[in-house]
mmCIF file of all heavy atoms in Angstrom:
data_model
loop_
_atom_site.group_PDB
_atom_site.id
_atom_site.type_symbol
_atom_site.label_atom_id
_atom_site.label_comp_id
_atom_site.label_asym_id
_atom_site.label_seq_id
_atom_site.Cartn_x
_atom_site.Cartn_y
_atom_site.Cartn_z
ATOM 1 N N MET A 9 74.726 -3.269 -31.839
ATOM 2 C CA MET A 9 73.700 -2.373 -31.325
ATOM 3 C C MET A 9 72.489 -2.382 -32.264
ATOM 4 O O MET A 9 72.386 -1.596 -33.192
ATOM 5 C CB MET A 9 74.245 -0.949 -31.223
ATOM 6 C CG MET A 9 75.290 -0.797 -30.143
ATOM 7 S SD MET A 9 74.655 -1.085 -28.513
ATOM 8 C CE MET A 9 75.930 -0.353 -27.508
ATOM 9 N N SER A 10 71.585 -3.272 -32.034
ATOM 10 C CA SER A 10 70.366 -3.267 -32.837
ATOM 11 C C SER A 10 69.207 -3.724 -31.978
ATOM 12 O O SER A 10 69.388 -4.363 -30.947
ATOM 13 C CB SER A 10 70.513 -4.192 -34.047
ATOM 14 O OG SER A 10 70.715 -5.494 -33.627
ATOM 15 N N GLY A 11 68.001 -3.382 -32.390
ATOM 16 C CA GLY A 11 66.817 -3.769 -31.647
ATOM 17 C C GLY A 11 66.545 -2.858 -30.477
ATOM 18 O O GLY A 11 65.753 -3.170 -29.614
ATOM 19 N N LEU A 12 67.194 -1.728 -30.441
ATOM 20 C CA LEU A 12 66.974 -0.799 -29.333
ATOM 21 C C LEU A 12 66.250 0.457 -29.814
ATOM 22 O O LEU A 12 66.496 1.535 -29.329
ATOM 23 C CB LEU A 12 68.309 -0.413 -28.695
ATOM 24 C CG LEU A 12 69.032 -1.519 -27.940
ATOM 25 C CD1 LEU A 12 70.425 -1.037 -27.541
ATOM 26 C CD2 LEU A 12 68.264 -1.949 -26.711
ATOM 27 N N GLN A 13 65.399 0.292 -30.762
ATOM 28 C CA GLN A 13 64.768 1.469 -31.353
ATOM 29 C C GLN A 13 63.435 1.820 -30.691
ATOM 30 O O GLN A 13 63.413 2.390 -29.625
ATOM 31 C CB GLN A 13 64.567 1.227 -32.857
ATOM 32 C CG GLN A 13 65.870 0.976 -33.590
ATOM 33 C CD GLN A 13 66.733 2.218 -33.701
ATOM 34 O OE1 GLN A 13 66.272 3.259 -34.127
ATOM 35 N NE2 GLN A 13 67.980 2.139 -33.304
ATOM 36 N N GLU A 14 62.359 1.439 -31.309
ATOM 37 C CA GLU A 14 61.047 1.915 -30.895
ATOM 38 C C GLU A 14 60.580 1.351 -29.553
ATOM 39 O O GLU A 14 59.899 2.005 -28.802
ATOM 40 C CB GLU A 14 60.014 1.559 -31.972
ATOM 41 C CG GLU A 14 60.311 2.183 -33.332
ATOM 42 C CD GLU A 14 60.117 3.691 -33.322
ATOM 43 O OE1 GLU A 14 59.146 4.162 -32.744
ATOM 44 O OE2 GLU A 14 60.982 4.390 -33.891
ATOM 45 N N GLN A 15 60.946 0.129 -29.262
ATOM 46 C CA GLN A 15 60.343 -0.557 -28.128
ATOM 47 C C GLN A 15 60.931 -0.138 -26.790
ATOM 48 O O GLN A 15 60.370 -0.423 -25.751
ATOM 49 C CB GLN A 15 60.499 -2.070 -28.299
ATOM 50 C CG GLN A 15 59.561 -2.619 -29.376
ATOM 51 C CD GLN A 15 59.681 -4.121 -29.509
ATOM 52 O OE1 GLN A 15 60.775 -4.668 -29.427
ATOM 53 N NE2 GLN A 15 58.579 -4.810 -29.713
ATOM 54 N N THR A 16 62.042 0.524 -26.803
ATOM 55 C CA THR A 16 62.687 0.891 -25.543
ATOM 56 C C THR A 16 62.391 2.334 -25.168
ATOM 57 O O THR A 16 63.157 2.975 -24.492
ATOM 58 C CB THR A 16 64.208 0.686 -25.637
ATOM 59 O OG1 THR A 16 64.692 1.381 -26.768
ATOM 60 C CG2 THR A 16 64.549 -0.775 -25.740
ATOM 61 N N ARG A 17 61.288 2.824 -25.653
ATOM 62 C CA ARG A 17 60.995 4.227 -25.431
ATOM 63 C C ARG A 17 60.582 4.491 -23.976
ATOM 64 O O ARG A 17 60.931 5.506 -23.409
ATOM 65 C CB ARG A 17 59.867 4.647 -26.371
ATOM 66 C CG ARG A 17 59.967 6.088 -26.753
ATOM 67 C CD ARG A 17 58.906 6.435 -27.771
ATOM 68 N NE ARG A 17 59.441 6.457 -29.125
ATOM 69 C CZ ARG A 17 58.685 6.651 -30.194
ATOM 70 N NH1 ARG A 17 57.402 6.785 -30.074
ATOM 71 N NH2 ARG A 17 59.208 6.693 -31.388
ATOM 72 N N ASN A 18 59.833 3.553 -23.407
ATOM 73 C CA ASN A 18 59.338 3.760 -22.050
ATOM 74 C C ASN A 18 60.330 3.231 -21.012
ATOM 75 O O ASN A 18 60.048 2.301 -20.277
ATOM 76 C CB ASN A 18 57.993 3.068 -21.872
ATOM 77 C CG ASN A 18 56.932 3.705 -22.757
ATOM 78 O OD1 ASN A 18 57.233 4.563 -23.567
ATOM 79 N ND2 ASN A 18 55.705 3.284 -22.582
ATOM 80 N N GLN A 19 61.479 3.824 -20.979
ATOM 81 C CA GLN A 19 62.495 3.407 -20.023
ATOM 82 C C GLN A 19 62.587 4.408 -18.885
ATOM 83 O O GLN A 19 62.491 5.618 -19.104
ATOM 84 C CB GLN A 19 63.864 3.351 -20.704
ATOM 85 C CG GLN A 19 64.130 2.050 -21.402
ATOM 86 C CD GLN A 19 65.544 2.041 -21.939
ATOM 87 O OE1 GLN A 19 66.006 2.995 -22.534
ATOM 88 N NE2 GLN A 19 66.257 0.956 -21.701
ATOM 89 N N CYS A 20 62.821 3.880 -17.686
ATOM 90 C CA CYS A 20 63.092 4.750 -16.556
ATOM 91 C C CYS A 20 64.353 5.557 -16.852
ATOM 92 O O CYS A 20 65.378 4.999 -17.235
ATOM 93 C CB CYS A 20 63.273 3.913 -15.294
ATOM 94 S SG CYS A 20 63.882 4.879 -13.905
ATOM 95 N N ILE A 21 64.266 6.851 -16.666
ATOM 96 C CA ILE A 21 65.376 7.737 -17.008
ATOM 97 C C ILE A 21 66.552 7.533 -16.066
ATOM 98 O O ILE A 21 67.689 7.807 -16.399
ATOM 99 C CB ILE A 21 64.908 9.209 -17.004
ATOM 100 C CG1 ILE A 21 65.884 10.099 -17.747
ATOM 101 C CG2 ILE A 21 64.671 9.699 -15.579
ATOM 102 C CD1 ILE A 21 65.865 9.887 -19.243
ATOM 103 N N SER A 22 66.264 7.039 -14.845
ATOM 104 C CA SER A 22 67.322 6.904 -13.853
ATOM 105 C C SER A 22 68.005 5.544 -13.902
ATOM 106 O O SER A 22 69.220 5.454 -13.917
ATOM 107 C CB SER A 22 66.754 7.127 -12.454
ATOM 108 O OG SER A 22 66.338 8.476 -12.319
ATOM 109 N N CYS A 23 67.225 4.461 -13.930
ATOM 110 C CA CYS A 23 67.826 3.142 -13.857
ATOM 111 C C CYS A 23 67.715 2.371 -15.165
ATOM 112 O O CYS A 23 68.363 1.353 -15.333
ATOM 113 C CB CYS A 23 67.226 2.328 -12.710
ATOM 114 S SG CYS A 23 65.505 1.888 -12.946
ATOM 115 N N GLY A 24 66.882 2.849 -16.077
ATOM 116 C CA GLY A 24 66.862 2.272 -17.407
ATOM 117 C C GLY A 24 65.974 1.051 -17.593
ATOM 118 O O GLY A 24 65.950 0.483 -18.672
ATOM 119 N N ILE A 25 65.240 0.655 -16.564
ATOM 120 C CA ILE A 25 64.361 -0.490 -16.738
ATOM 121 C C ILE A 25 63.161 -0.107 -17.584
ATOM 122 O O ILE A 25 62.798 1.064 -17.671
ATOM 123 C CB ILE A 25 63.879 -1.065 -15.385
ATOM 124 C CG1 ILE A 25 62.935 -0.082 -14.681
ATOM 125 C CG2 ILE A 25 65.044 -1.462 -14.512
ATOM 126 C CD1 ILE A 25 62.113 -0.740 -13.594
ATOM 127 N N ASN A 26 62.553 -1.112 -18.188
ATOM 128 C CA ASN A 26 61.358 -0.872 -18.991
ATOM 129 C C ASN A 26 60.174 -0.637 -18.062
ATOM 130 O O ASN A 26 59.857 -1.480 -17.234
ATOM 131 C CB ASN A 26 61.114 -2.089 -19.882
ATOM 132 C CG ASN A 26 60.111 -1.793 -20.966
ATOM 133 O OD1 ASN A 26 59.315 -0.861 -20.859
ATOM 134 N ND2 ASN A 26 60.141 -2.583 -22.006
ATOM 135 N N VAL A 27 59.535 0.507 -18.191
ATOM 136 C CA VAL A 27 58.461 0.849 -17.278
ATOM 137 C C VAL A 27 57.080 0.629 -17.904
ATOM 138 O O VAL A 27 56.076 0.998 -17.332
ATOM 139 C CB VAL A 27 58.577 2.307 -16.798
ATOM 140 C CG1 VAL A 27 59.851 2.509 -16.021
ATOM 141 C CG2 VAL A 27 58.492 3.274 -17.960
ATOM 142 N N ALA A 28 57.047 0.043 -19.089
ATOM 143 C CA ALA A 28 55.771 -0.186 -19.755
ATOM 144 C C ALA A 28 54.882 -1.077 -18.890
ATOM 145 O O ALA A 28 55.295 -2.149 -18.449
ATOM 146 C CB ALA A 28 56.005 -0.828 -21.108
ATOM 147 N N GLY A 29 53.687 -0.627 -18.623
ATOM 148 C CA GLY A 29 52.748 -1.432 -17.856
ATOM 149 C C GLY A 29 52.890 -1.271 -16.352
ATOM 150 O O GLY A 29 52.056 -1.748 -15.599
ATOM 151 N N SER A 30 53.918 -0.609 -15.885
ATOM 152 C CA SER A 30 54.069 -0.373 -14.458
ATOM 153 C C SER A 30 53.510 1.006 -14.107
ATOM 154 O O SER A 30 53.128 1.771 -14.985
ATOM 155 C CB SER A 30 55.541 -0.465 -14.049
ATOM 156 O OG SER A 30 56.246 0.644 -14.552
ATOM 157 N N ASN A 31 53.494 1.307 -12.821
ATOM 158 C CA ASN A 31 52.936 2.597 -12.419
ATOM 159 C C ASN A 31 54.028 3.656 -12.360
ATOM 160 O O ASN A 31 54.215 4.333 -11.370
ATOM 161 C CB ASN A 31 52.216 2.476 -11.074
ATOM 162 C CG ASN A 31 53.154 2.072 -9.954
ATOM 163 O OD1 ASN A 31 54.206 1.495 -10.217
ATOM 164 N ND2 ASN A 31 52.781 2.366 -8.730
ATOM 165 N N ALA A 32 54.754 3.760 -13.443
ATOM 166 C CA ALA A 32 55.824 4.741 -13.504
ATOM 167 C C ALA A 32 55.257 6.141 -13.694
ATOM 168 O O ALA A 32 54.216 6.320 -14.310
ATOM 169 C CB ALA A 32 56.757 4.407 -14.654
ATOM 170 N N ALA A 33 55.971 7.104 -13.162
ATOM 171 C CA ALA A 33 55.593 8.494 -13.376
ATOM 172 C C ALA A 33 56.167 8.943 -14.711
ATOM 173 O O ALA A 33 57.245 8.522 -15.112
ATOM 174 C CB ALA A 33 56.140 9.355 -12.256
ATOM 175 N N HIS A 34 55.433 9.791 -15.393
ATOM 176 C CA HIS A 34 56.013 10.376 -16.594
ATOM 177 C C HIS A 34 55.646 11.848 -16.659
ATOM 178 O O HIS A 34 54.579 12.260 -16.247
ATOM 179 C CB HIS A 34 55.603 9.624 -17.860
ATOM 180 C CG HIS A 34 54.127 9.640 -18.126
ATOM 181 N ND1 HIS A 34 53.547 10.543 -18.986
ATOM 182 C CD2 HIS A 34 53.122 8.879 -17.645
ATOM 183 C CE1 HIS A 34 52.250 10.321 -19.026
ATOM 184 N NE2 HIS A 34 51.957 9.321 -18.213
ATOM 185 N N PHE A 35 56.557 12.607 -17.134
ATOM 186 C CA PHE A 35 56.376 14.051 -17.167
ATOM 187 C C PHE A 35 57.201 14.620 -18.309
ATOM 188 O O PHE A 35 58.017 13.915 -18.916
ATOM 189 C CB PHE A 35 56.803 14.670 -15.837
ATOM 190 C CG PHE A 35 58.140 14.198 -15.356
ATOM 191 C CD1 PHE A 35 59.279 14.913 -15.655
ATOM 192 C CD2 PHE A 35 58.248 13.038 -14.612
ATOM 193 C CE1 PHE A 35 60.519 14.472 -15.210
ATOM 194 C CE2 PHE A 35 59.496 12.583 -14.176
ATOM 195 C CZ PHE A 35 60.619 13.305 -14.475
ATOM 196 N N ASP A 36 57.020 15.872 -18.581
ATOM 197 C CA ASP A 36 57.770 16.513 -19.655
ATOM 198 C C ASP A 36 58.979 17.234 -19.091
ATOM 199 O O ASP A 36 58.914 17.853 -18.025
ATOM 200 C CB ASP A 36 56.884 17.535 -20.377
ATOM 201 C CG ASP A 36 55.707 16.872 -21.064
ATOM 202 O OD1 ASP A 36 55.839 15.691 -21.426
ATOM 203 O OD2 ASP A 36 54.672 17.540 -21.219
ATOM 204 N N CYS A 37 60.049 17.172 -19.812
ATOM 205 C CA CYS A 37 61.245 17.910 -19.429
ATOM 206 C C CYS A 37 60.919 19.399 -19.384
ATOM 207 O O CYS A 37 60.355 19.942 -20.336
ATOM 208 C CB CYS A 37 62.361 17.646 -20.439
ATOM 209 S SG CYS A 37 63.791 18.724 -20.218
ATOM 210 N N PRO A 38 61.235 20.064 -18.280
ATOM 211 C CA PRO A 38 60.928 21.490 -18.166
ATOM 212 C C PRO A 38 61.710 22.338 -19.154
ATOM 213 O O PRO A 38 61.347 23.488 -19.423
ATOM 214 C CB PRO A 38 61.318 21.840 -16.726
ATOM 215 C CG PRO A 38 62.153 20.721 -16.233
ATOM 216 C CD PRO A 38 61.835 19.506 -17.061
ATOM 217 N N GLU A 39 62.762 21.784 -19.687
ATOM 218 C CA GLU A 39 63.591 22.541 -20.618
ATOM 219 C C GLU A 39 63.138 22.405 -22.060
ATOM 220 O O GLU A 39 62.940 23.394 -22.756
ATOM 221 C CB GLU A 39 65.048 22.084 -20.504
ATOM 222 C CG GLU A 39 65.809 22.724 -19.360
ATOM 223 C CD GLU A 39 66.030 24.216 -19.575
ATOM 224 O OE1 GLU A 39 66.561 24.619 -20.616
ATOM 225 O OE2 GLU A 39 65.645 24.977 -18.677
ATOM 226 N N CYS A 40 62.951 21.176 -22.489
ATOM 227 C CA CYS A 40 62.694 20.950 -23.916
ATOM 228 C C CYS A 40 61.380 20.236 -24.185
ATOM 229 O O CYS A 40 60.967 20.092 -25.328
ATOM 230 C CB CYS A 40 63.849 20.165 -24.540
ATOM 231 S SG CYS A 40 63.947 18.458 -23.974
ATOM 232 N N GLY A 41 60.700 19.775 -23.129
ATOM 233 C CA GLY A 41 59.410 19.142 -23.335
ATOM 234 C C GLY A 41 59.485 17.667 -23.683
ATOM 235 O O GLY A 41 58.480 17.029 -23.953
ATOM 236 N N GLN A 42 60.664 17.113 -23.663
ATOM 237 C CA GLN A 42 60.849 15.685 -23.927
ATOM 238 C C GLN A 42 60.136 14.862 -22.858
ATOM 239 O O GLN A 42 60.184 15.187 -21.683
ATOM 240 C CB GLN A 42 62.352 15.362 -23.916
ATOM 241 C CG GLN A 42 62.686 13.890 -23.950
ATOM 242 C CD GLN A 42 62.766 13.360 -25.369
ATOM 243 O OE1 GLN A 42 62.683 14.105 -26.325
ATOM 244 N NE2 GLN A 42 62.901 12.060 -25.494
ATOM 245 N N GLN A 43 59.449 13.806 -23.290
ATOM 246 C CA GLN A 43 58.750 12.949 -22.333
ATOM 247 C C GLN A 43 59.753 12.083 -21.578
ATOM 248 O O GLN A 43 60.582 11.407 -22.174
ATOM 249 C CB GLN A 43 57.761 12.042 -23.061
ATOM 250 C CG GLN A 43 56.896 11.267 -22.084
ATOM 251 C CD GLN A 43 55.448 11.737 -22.100
ATOM 252 O OE1 GLN A 43 54.577 11.012 -22.484
ATOM 253 N NE2 GLN A 43 55.206 12.963 -21.701
ATOM 254 N N ILE A 44 59.647 12.166 -20.239
ATOM 255 C CA ILE A 44 60.581 11.452 -19.376
ATOM 256 C C ILE A 44 59.813 10.502 -18.468
ATOM 257 O O ILE A 44 58.797 10.874 -17.895
ATOM 258 C CB ILE A 44 61.408 12.459 -18.540
ATOM 259 C CG1 ILE A 44 62.366 13.226 -19.443
ATOM 260 C CG2 ILE A 44 62.166 11.745 -17.427
ATOM 261 C CD1 ILE A 44 63.079 14.357 -18.748
ATOM 262 N N TYR A 45 60.308 9.293 -18.357
ATOM 263 C CA TYR A 45 59.667 8.290 -17.500
ATOM 264 C C TYR A 45 60.563 7.976 -16.315
ATOM 265 O O TYR A 45 61.776 7.955 -16.427
ATOM 266 C CB TYR A 45 59.432 6.988 -18.288
ATOM 267 C CG TYR A 45 58.383 7.128 -19.346
ATOM 268 C CD1 TYR A 45 58.724 7.575 -20.615
ATOM 269 C CD2 TYR A 45 57.059 6.812 -19.076
ATOM 270 C CE1 TYR A 45 57.761 7.705 -21.605
ATOM 271 C CE2 TYR A 45 56.095 6.940 -20.053
ATOM 272 C CZ TYR A 45 56.448 7.384 -21.318
ATOM 273 O OH TYR A 45 55.506 7.518 -22.292
ATOM 274 N N ARG A 46 59.911 7.722 -15.205
ATOM 275 C CA ARG A 46 60.682 7.308 -14.038
ATOM 276 C C ARG A 46 59.889 6.246 -13.290
ATOM 277 O O ARG A 46 58.712 6.444 -12.994
ATOM 278 C CB ARG A 46 60.975 8.503 -13.140
ATOM 279 C CG ARG A 46 62.081 8.229 -12.165
ATOM 280 C CD ARG A 46 62.787 9.488 -11.772
ATOM 281 N NE ARG A 46 61.876 10.455 -11.189
ATOM 282 C CZ ARG A 46 62.228 11.344 -10.284
ATOM 283 N NH1 ARG A 46 63.460 11.388 -9.871
ATOM 284 N NH2 ARG A 46 61.371 12.186 -9.806
ATOM 285 N N CYS A 47 60.540 5.148 -12.961
ATOM 286 C CA CYS A 47 59.856 4.041 -12.310
ATOM 287 C C CYS A 47 59.532 4.396 -10.859
ATOM 288 O O CYS A 47 60.111 5.329 -10.284
ATOM 289 C CB CYS A 47 60.702 2.770 -12.379
ATOM 290 S SG CYS A 47 62.141 2.763 -11.313
ATOM 291 N N ALA A 48 58.616 3.650 -10.266
ATOM 292 C CA ALA A 48 58.152 3.943 -8.911
ATOM 293 C C ALA A 48 59.299 3.889 -7.908
ATOM 294 O O ALA A 48 59.339 4.648 -6.943
ATOM 295 C CB ALA A 48 57.065 2.945 -8.524
ATOM 296 N N LYS A 49 60.231 2.985 -8.147
ATOM 297 C CA LYS A 49 61.357 2.825 -7.234
ATOM 298 C C LYS A 49 62.242 4.070 -7.226
ATOM 299 O O LYS A 49 62.580 4.607 -6.174
ATOM 300 C CB LYS A 49 62.179 1.602 -7.660
ATOM 301 C CG LYS A 49 63.089 1.085 -6.577
ATOM 302 C CD LYS A 49 63.731 -0.214 -7.011
ATOM 303 C CE LYS A 49 65.229 -0.038 -7.173
ATOM 304 N NZ LYS A 49 65.845 -1.198 -7.837
ATOM 305 N N CYS A 50 62.577 4.540 -8.396
ATOM 306 C CA CYS A 50 63.432 5.720 -8.489
ATOM 307 C C CYS A 50 62.699 6.966 -7.999
ATOM 308 O O CYS A 50 63.309 7.884 -7.456
ATOM 309 C CB CYS A 50 63.899 5.908 -9.926
ATOM 310 S SG CYS A 50 65.091 4.680 -10.441
ATOM 311 N N ARG A 51 61.398 6.975 -8.196
ATOM 312 C CA ARG A 51 60.622 8.109 -7.706
ATOM 313 C C ARG A 51 60.660 8.154 -6.190
ATOM 314 O O ARG A 51 60.792 9.204 -5.576
ATOM 315 C CB ARG A 51 59.183 7.983 -8.205
ATOM 316 C CG ARG A 51 58.442 9.281 -8.181
ATOM 317 C CD ARG A 51 57.062 9.128 -8.772
ATOM 318 N NE ARG A 51 56.363 7.982 -8.198
ATOM 319 C CZ ARG A 51 55.151 7.603 -8.536
ATOM 320 N NH1 ARG A 51 54.516 8.234 -9.475
ATOM 321 N NH2 ARG A 51 54.587 6.583 -7.978
ATOM 322 N N LYS A 52 60.555 6.995 -5.583
ATOM 323 C CA LYS A 52 60.596 6.894 -4.128
ATOM 324 C C LYS A 52 61.948 7.357 -3.591
ATOM 325 O O LYS A 52 62.033 8.026 -2.573
ATOM 326 C CB LYS A 52 60.352 5.431 -3.712
ATOM 327 C CG LYS A 52 59.249 5.278 -2.688
ATOM 328 C CD LYS A 52 59.006 3.790 -2.437
ATOM 329 C CE LYS A 52 57.695 3.610 -1.681
ATOM 330 N NZ LYS A 52 57.360 2.177 -1.558
ATOM 331 N N GLN A 53 62.998 6.974 -4.300
ATOM 332 C CA GLN A 53 64.346 7.321 -3.848
ATOM 333 C C GLN A 53 64.744 8.721 -4.290
ATOM 334 O O GLN A 53 65.830 9.192 -3.979
ATOM 335 C CB GLN A 53 65.340 6.306 -4.425
ATOM 336 C CG GLN A 53 65.089 4.895 -3.918
ATOM 337 C CD GLN A 53 66.042 3.905 -4.560
ATOM 338 O OE1 GLN A 53 66.685 4.192 -5.552
ATOM 339 N NE2 GLN A 53 66.139 2.714 -3.980
ATOM 340 N N SER A 54 63.860 9.373 -5.020
ATOM 341 C CA SER A 54 64.148 10.710 -5.527
ATOM 342 C C SER A 54 65.469 10.765 -6.291
ATOM 343 O O SER A 54 66.253 11.687 -6.131
ATOM 344 C CB SER A 54 64.158 11.729 -4.381
ATOM 345 O OG SER A 54 62.892 11.788 -3.781
ATOM 346 N N ASN A 55 65.684 9.741 -7.107
ATOM 347 C CA ASN A 55 66.894 9.728 -7.924
ATOM 348 C C ASN A 55 66.901 10.899 -8.895
ATOM 349 O O ASN A 55 65.856 11.333 -9.356
ATOM 350 C CB ASN A 55 66.963 8.424 -8.725
ATOM 351 C CG ASN A 55 67.363 7.261 -7.849
ATOM 352 O OD1 ASN A 55 67.714 7.431 -6.696
ATOM 353 N ND2 ASN A 55 67.291 6.073 -8.404
ATOM 354 N N LEU A 56 68.066 11.369 -9.181
ATOM 355 C CA LEU A 56 68.184 12.427 -10.173
ATOM 356 C C LEU A 56 67.872 11.871 -11.555
ATOM 357 O O LEU A 56 68.048 10.695 -11.813
ATOM 358 C CB LEU A 56 69.602 12.986 -10.183
ATOM 359 C CG LEU A 56 70.011 13.810 -8.967
ATOM 360 C CD1 LEU A 56 71.470 14.232 -9.123
ATOM 361 C CD2 LEU A 56 69.153 15.038 -8.814
ATOM 362 N N TYR A 57 67.411 12.730 -12.428
ATOM 363 C CA TYR A 57 67.234 12.329 -13.805
ATOM 364 C C TYR A 57 67.942 13.321 -14.702
ATOM 365 O O TYR A 57 68.162 14.469 -14.332
ATOM 366 C CB TYR A 57 65.743 12.254 -14.174
ATOM 367 C CG TYR A 57 65.031 13.586 -14.143
ATOM 368 C CD1 TYR A 57 65.031 14.416 -15.254
ATOM 369 C CD2 TYR A 57 64.370 14.003 -12.995
ATOM 370 C CE1 TYR A 57 64.388 15.641 -15.230
ATOM 371 C CE2 TYR A 57 63.722 15.227 -12.967
ATOM 372 C CZ TYR A 57 63.737 16.041 -14.082
ATOM 373 O OH TYR A 57 63.099 17.246 -14.054
ATOM 374 N N GLN A 58 68.313 12.831 -15.863
ATOM 375 C CA GLN A 58 68.897 13.737 -16.842
ATOM 376 C C GLN A 58 68.183 13.538 -18.169
ATOM 377 O O GLN A 58 68.048 12.418 -18.649
ATOM 378 C CB GLN A 58 70.390 13.450 -16.999
ATOM 379 C CG GLN A 58 71.041 14.433 -17.960
ATOM 380 C CD GLN A 58 72.551 14.254 -18.021
ATOM 381 O OE1 GLN A 58 73.053 13.158 -17.892
ATOM 382 N NE2 GLN A 58 73.261 15.346 -18.206
ATOM 383 N N CYS A 59 67.717 14.614 -18.705
ATOM 384 C CA CYS A 59 67.022 14.551 -19.975
ATOM 385 C C CYS A 59 67.992 14.091 -21.063
ATOM 386 O O CYS A 59 69.078 14.656 -21.194
ATOM 387 C CB CYS A 59 66.456 15.927 -20.317
ATOM 388 S SG CYS A 59 65.709 15.985 -21.950
ATOM 389 N N PRO A 60 67.617 13.055 -21.813
ATOM 390 C CA PRO A 60 68.507 12.555 -22.868
ATOM 391 C C PRO A 60 68.611 13.524 -24.037
ATOM 392 O O PRO A 60 69.494 13.412 -24.868
ATOM 393 C CB PRO A 60 67.839 11.240 -23.298
ATOM 394 C CG PRO A 60 66.394 11.418 -22.937
ATOM 395 C CD PRO A 60 66.369 12.311 -21.715
ATOM 396 N N ASP A 61 67.710 14.454 -24.082
ATOM 397 C CA ASP A 61 67.648 15.362 -25.214
ATOM 398 C C ASP A 61 68.481 16.615 -24.995
ATOM 399 O O ASP A 61 69.309 16.981 -25.803
ATOM 400 C CB ASP A 61 66.187 15.737 -25.468
ATOM 401 C CG ASP A 61 65.862 15.708 -26.942
ATOM 402 O OD1 ASP A 61 66.248 14.718 -27.593
ATOM 403 O OD2 ASP A 61 65.247 16.664 -27.426
ATOM 404 N N CYS A 62 68.262 17.291 -23.859
ATOM 405 C CA CYS A 62 68.922 18.574 -23.641
ATOM 406 C C CYS A 62 69.915 18.529 -22.481
ATOM 407 O O CYS A 62 70.645 19.476 -22.253
ATOM 408 C CB CYS A 62 67.881 19.666 -23.398
ATOM 409 S SG CYS A 62 67.014 19.495 -21.838
ATOM 410 N N GLY A 63 69.919 17.411 -21.733
ATOM 411 C CA GLY A 63 70.886 17.285 -20.648
ATOM 412 C C GLY A 63 70.448 17.927 -19.349
ATOM 413 O O GLY A 63 71.219 17.984 -18.393
ATOM 414 N N PHE A 64 69.207 18.379 -19.289
ATOM 415 C CA PHE A 64 68.700 18.984 -18.065
ATOM 416 C C PHE A 64 68.690 17.963 -16.941
ATOM 417 O O PHE A 64 68.263 16.831 -17.110
ATOM 418 C CB PHE A 64 67.285 19.519 -18.310
ATOM 419 C CG PHE A 64 66.628 20.076 -17.070
ATOM 420 C CD1 PHE A 64 66.867 21.372 -16.681
ATOM 421 C CD2 PHE A 64 65.786 19.282 -16.299
ATOM 422 C CE1 PHE A 64 66.262 21.887 -15.543
ATOM 423 C CE2 PHE A 64 65.173 19.785 -15.159
ATOM 424 C CZ PHE A 64 65.415 21.089 -14.783
ATOM 425 N N THR A 65 69.183 18.347 -15.775
ATOM 426 C CA THR A 65 69.202 17.462 -14.622
ATOM 427 C C THR A 65 68.289 17.994 -13.536
ATOM 428 O O THR A 65 68.291 19.196 -13.263
ATOM 429 C CB THR A 65 70.625 17.337 -14.051
ATOM 430 O OG1 THR A 65 71.512 17.077 -15.119
ATOM 431 C CG2 THR A 65 70.713 16.214 -13.051
ATOM 432 N N GLY A 66 67.486 17.127 -12.951
ATOM 433 C CA GLY A 66 66.556 17.594 -11.941
ATOM 434 C C GLY A 66 66.191 16.489 -10.957
ATOM 435 O O GLY A 66 66.524 15.326 -11.168
ATOM 436 N N PRO A 67 65.528 16.839 -9.885
ATOM 437 C CA PRO A 67 65.114 15.898 -8.864
ATOM 438 C C PRO A 67 63.832 15.153 -9.256
ATOM 439 O O PRO A 67 63.106 15.635 -10.101
ATOM 440 C CB PRO A 67 64.863 16.784 -7.653
ATOM 441 C CG PRO A 67 64.466 18.099 -8.238
ATOM 442 C CD PRO A 67 65.171 18.213 -9.562
HETATM 443 ZN ZN1 ZN B 10 64.111 3.527 -12.157
HETATM 444 ZN ZN1 ZN B 11 65.098 18.191 -22.035
#
């Protein structure tokens, strides 16, 4: 497990793809303010997300 540090920050919270440079939505976790990214595909499908920081789950 190495090389997964700084560069993987902009990952879709639902499917985990790298959203850097794409038209992904990003917003703050309503619970803890953690920045959350979601790719256009998951946004369209209204996939659930879970905050990696506090575990908050939302639509
Ligand atoms: Zn996604
Ligand atoms: Zn959170």
